[in-house]
Structures are given as C-alpha cells and as structure tokens.
Amino acid sequence: MSGTLVIAGLGPGSDALVTPEVSAALAEATDVVGYIPYVARVPDRAGLRRHASDNRVELDRSRHALAMAAEGRRVVVVSSGDPGVFAMASAVFEALEAGPEGWRGIEIRVLPGITAMLAAAAAAGAPLGHDFCAINLSDNLKPWALIEKRLRLAVEGDFAMGFYNPRSKARPEGFTRVLDVLRETCEPERLMIFARAVSTPDQALRITALKDAAPEMADMRTVVLVGSSLTRLIAREGQAPLVYTPRSAPEGRSE
Amino acid sequence: MSGTLVIAGLGPGSDALVTPEVSAALAEATDVVGYIPYVARVPDRAGLRRHASDNRVELDRSRHALAMAAEGRRVVVVSSGDPGVFAMASAVFEALEAGPEGWRGIEIRVLPGITAMLAAAAAAGAPLGHDFCAINLSDNLKPWALIEKRLRLAVEGDFAMGFYNPRSKARPEGFTRVLDVLRETCEPERLMIFARAVSTPDQALRITALKDAAPEMADMRTVVLVGSSLTRLIAREGQAPLVYTPRSAPEGRSE
C-alpha cells in the first residue's frame, strides 16, 4: 500500500508564519525529512520519526522520502520558506522522475509557505508592490553568465528584484559582481533592502541606496531586495521608514 | 493617541492558508477594512467593526483605514493573497505619503500571506522552482507597452512567469496579445498552467502546452503560470501530473 508524501513550507522562521495546513500535515506525519535546522523546527512527539540530513544532499534526501512513502509511510519533507521557491519541491520531483516507476503512484502534495522574499518585503513595507523577479544568485547549479544575463534583463525591464542565496563563504565574489552590474545599470539612489533572518529573533533589516551598498551586507541568511526605478522611501519620525513600489507606472517612464 | 494599522494577507482563499500571525491580528482588531469578499472572510464578533468597500477604491479605503488608525483604533486592512503582491500595501503607502503628516506616526505592520501565484505553483508541482517573474497583466495602472516589454524580457531571460489579473471582461484582448507574444517567442510545447480560484472549493487547474492555450482559459480569478524552457511534466497513472522546473540550468542552455 502506498503512503503519502507532503512537501511543506515552514515559512522563513517564525512559527506565527506556519500555515494551519502545514501544521496539520506535520501532526499526521509518521516521518519528517529535511535539512537539520528545518527538522529541528518540528516538535518531537511519539510516533514521529525525524530524519535530518546535511545541506547539499537534496536528491539523496528526496529519494529517501519517496522510498518511505512508497512503503506506506506518511512522509513530510520540510523546507524553509515556500518549498517551490529555490527549495525542496523541485529536488523531490527530479528524484521522482529519475526513480522507480512505482514512485509515480505515490500521493504527493505541495503545501505553500511564506517565502523569505515576501516576508522581507513585508518587513520593509511593499518594495515588491509592482512587477518583480526572483533570482537565485548561487552558481552551484547554473552558470554565472545566466545569472548576469537575467539580472541585466530584469533591470532593463525595470522589475523590482528579490535575490536568494546572495553570498556564500565559498564564493563571495558573485555578489560583488552583482553590485557592479547594478551600479552600471541603475541610478545610484536605487533603493535596496538587506533582510537577514527575517521573522526570527535575529532579524536585521537594512535599507540603503545602491551607492552605499556593500557586499558584506549580505550572507547566506540574507535576502536582498532591489526596488524598481519607481520605488520610494517614506521617512517617519519615531517609526521605521517604509519602502514601497507604487502600483502605477506612468506612461513612457520605463520605455 | 495613535492606534495601529496592520495590512494583512488572507492568502488565496482557504482558511488553512491564513497564517497564525494574521489570525491573531484579526482577533485583536477593532476595525477591519477591505474589498467586500475579503472582509466577508473575517468572522463577525462583538467589538469588531467591518468596513467593506467595492473594488477599485483602494486609495479611498486606505485613507479611511489610516484616518481610523490615527484616531486610536486597531485597524486591519485585509488583502487576498499577500498584501505586498499587487494588493493593498502599496495603496496604503501611496495614501500615507500623500496624507497628513500625523499619519506617519501610526504604527504600521505588513503581514505576509500566501500569494496566489505560489499557491497555484504548489497545486501544480513546482513550476516556479527556478528563477521567476511576477507580472500584473492589467493595464489599468500601467501602459500596455510596458507589460509587453517586460513579457519579452522575461522570455528572453528564460524566467518562469506568473501572471496576475490576466483577463478582465472590460479588456479581454490583452491576454490574447500576451498569448501571441508567447507564441512568437517560445516553443509550442512550453508548459502553461491556468489556476482558477486556487485553494477554494471552486479550484480548477488546467495544464496545457502553449500551442493549445486559449484566451478563454483565463479570467480575473485565474493566475496563469508559464514555465521556462526547462520546465517538465511528469505523467502519473492514477495521479495528477506534476509540473516542475529543475533546479539546474545546464551550461549554455539559455545563453
């Protein structure tokens, strides 16, 4: 008898951002599978087996989850944020497609979560309030040339942008190049937001103009948002400033 | 004494997708403000005033909410999906910026929600599993030329795409033109998903190749997703097919 596989998004960190749908799936699970810090967010209880694995073993983890579901278990793969945004859902489907035919009979559901980019945007105001792009800056799985191409096209289209995985210890130079491209193509006052560990006790939000942005403002726990040419800052006495992108683009402005 | 203003995302429709953070804010509110069907999603209770208004009066609604908060009330503005994605947050900030100086002292929080594009993606698999764009196809507030420009650049960058407000009764021709541009620039087998009323009892999901897509597949309750050139479909006997975009882009593929 085939079990079930749920791929669930835990949101960016705070339990107050976990949807009731995800909480219900976790309450019914026999097995929880995921990267160590995400599995640690699921409370232990009788009848629940927790399978925590290290980073960068997404396909192994996916095969393990699928194999357990095929044996009849109720498996939940946990992701941070939304599982469909630079997270576990695609890895599970890659493993499913390459795996035994029998795995295709497993009942699979993806449960959306609050993705870091949108939690960061909310914390700053509404910087993605108009058309926007999400770009993963890690070149682990794609060539750098493609990242830069997408970045230039997004700027040309005057999209607001959200960058995931902006800067790893192993390859800090990538984000430096991203800032160089932005400086070459955008005005110096373009608004940026560095949002670290959003919704956790470590949350740190930094709003800056592009001309004052520095590579060190980002690390792997940071999501970086870049406004469009129309993004504005509202200064407020005694309250944090708000960054937002208006709903309208005037005739001709971005042509 | 100044009150508080919360701009909260109710998610795409199902109560199981409302975050605990949003539920808590609604439980503490004195006033709920929003478009009629969204206010209707907030249960009535003693001590809660509900202010429902029609569509297309976003700025009036925002000023009303700000004015009540300035008088000391605990006001929640409700949006569908995520308030920062083509929803109420930017409208409130436009009203705030243009309004009385005193409004800037109001404590304001934006609470993220599950946006329709990501709920639709989860329902279909993981079609936005790599870099993606969100584009509002309504030309109410921006020129059509900008929509088409962004669409062409997003295709050139081989982004997956999510389209909001694809087709209104008043201007059905816009989405026909979007399909024409896609047919001119993408291969005929490019995968598309028409996701209507996601997470509600009316949910309808249609997966199709671009060559078989028709304007009538979309209406204002539909979010349309377009895969990248790498997006794949996994056929499954006895289970719904899954659409996903792999995490990797091979060297040179999209150059």
Side-chain angles (χ1 to χ4, degrees), chain A residues 43-222:
Chain A
D44 209 2
R45 61 171 163 79
L48 180 69
R49 300 194 306 195
R50 291 142 53 102
H51 310 268
S53 46
D54 208 347
N55 213 347
R56 303 239 179 143
V57 294
E58 288 82 4
L59 284 179
D60 286 346
R61 184 189 297 148
S62 298
R63 285 187 284 262
H64 182 208
L66 285 158
M68 287 192 294
E71 285 163 12
R73 317 265 318 160
R74 291 189 302 278
V75 181
V76 177
V77 174
V78 288
S79 258
S80 177
D82 183 291
V85 179
F86 311 124
M88 282 302 296
S90 287
V92 170
F93 297 142
E94 285 168 39
L96 174 69
E97 197 176 16
E101 184 63 28
W103 284 0
R104 300 198 180 198
I106 298 168
E107 185 190 323
I108 299 179
R109 287 193 305 149
V110 180
L111 307 186
I114 303 290
T115 188
M117 169 180 65
L118 296 182
L128 306 178
H130 207 292
D131 301 332
F132 64 92
C133 293
I135 304 178
N136 188 339
L137 295 187
S138 165
D139 61 355
N140 273 342
L141 296 168
K142 65 183 164 186
W144 170 261
L146 179 59
I147 297 173
E148 184 168 331
K149 178 182 177 179
R150 287 183 176 159
L151 178 63
R152 289 181 182 274
L153 290 167
V155 170
E156 187 182 342
D158 203 20
F159 286 95
M161 289 172 266
F163 299 147
Y164 286 77
N165 302 316
R167 191 160 179 266
S168 69
K169 279 186 188 164
R171 286 177 315 284
E173 71 280 6
F175 187 60
T176 305
R177 290 164 71 179
V178 166
L179 287 179
D180 288 344
V181 170
L182 290 174
R183 289 199 173 99
E184 181 195 313
T185 52
C186 302
E187 68 286 358
E189 299 301 327
R190 180 68 62 105
L191 285 165
M192 296 184 69
I193 296 150
F194 291 80
R196 186 169 190 276
V198 181
S199 87
T200 76
D202 301 333
Q203 175 174 319
L205 208 69
R206 187 200 295 249
I207 297 168
T208 179
L210 171 59
K211 67 177 163 51
D212 300 319
E216 302 73 42
M217 293 178 183
D219 64 13
M220 284 309 271
R221 293 187 74 193
T222 307

Side-chain angles (χ1 to χ4, degrees), chain A residues 14-22 58-59 82-87 89-91 93-97 101 103-115 117-119 121-137 141-147 149-151 153-154 156-159 164 228 230 232-237 239 242-255, chain B residues 14-22 58-59 82-87 89-91 93-97 101 103-115 117-119 121-137 141-147 149-151 153-154 156-159 164 228 230 232-237 239 242-255:
Chain A
S14 164
D15 286 344
L17 294 178
V18 180
T19 67
E21 182 178 65
V22 167
E58 288 82 4
L59 284 179
D82 183 291
V85 179
F86 311 124
S90 287
F93 297 142
E94 285 168 39
L96 174 69
E97 197 176 16
E101 184 63 28
W103 284 0
R104 300 198 180 198
I106 298 168
E107 185 190 323
I108 299 179
R109 287 193 305 149
V110 180
L111 307 186
I114 303 290
T115 188
M117 169 180 65
L118 296 182
L128 306 178
H130 207 292
D131 301 332
F132 64 92
C133 293
I135 304 178
N136 188 339
L137 295 187
L141 296 168
K142 65 183 164 186
W144 170 261
L146 179 59
I147 297 173
K149 178 182 177 179
R150 287 183 176 159
L151 178 63
L153 290 167
E156 187 182 342
D158 203 20
F159 286 95
Y164 286 77
S228 78
L230 300 174
R232 306 172 58 78
L233 184 138
I234 307 177
R236 300 191 301 157
E237 208 154 322
Q239 299 283 354
L242 292 163
V243 179
Y244 82 99
T245 304
R247 299 165 304 149
S248 338
E251 215 52 63
R253 168 69 192 249
S254 297
E255 294 311 290
Chain B
S14 165
D15 286 344
L17 294 179
V18 180
T19 67
E21 182 178 66
V22 167
E58 288 81 5
L59 284 179
D82 183 291
V85 178
F86 311 124
S90 286
F93 297 142
E94 285 168 39
L96 175 69
E97 197 175 17
E101 184 64 28
W103 284 0
R104 299 196 181 201
I106 297 169
E107 184 191 324
I108 299 179
R109 288 192 305 149
V110 181
L111 307 186
I114 302 290
T115 186
M117 170 179 65
L118 296 183
L128 305 178
H130 207 292
D131 301 332
F132 64 91
C133 292
I135 304 179
N136 188 341
L137 295 187
L141 296 168
K142 65 183 163 184
W144 170 262
L146 180 58
I147 297 174
K149 177 182 177 181
R150 287 183 176 159
L151 178 62
L153 291 166
E156 188 183 342
D158 203 20
F159 286 95
Y164 285 77
S228 78
L230 299 173
R232 305 172 58 77
L233 183 139
I234 307 178
R236 300 190 300 157
E237 208 155 321
Q239 298 283 355
L242 292 163
V243 178
Y244 82 100
T245 304
R247 299 166 303 150
S248 334
E251 217 49 65
R253 168 67 191 253
S254 297
E255 295 311 290

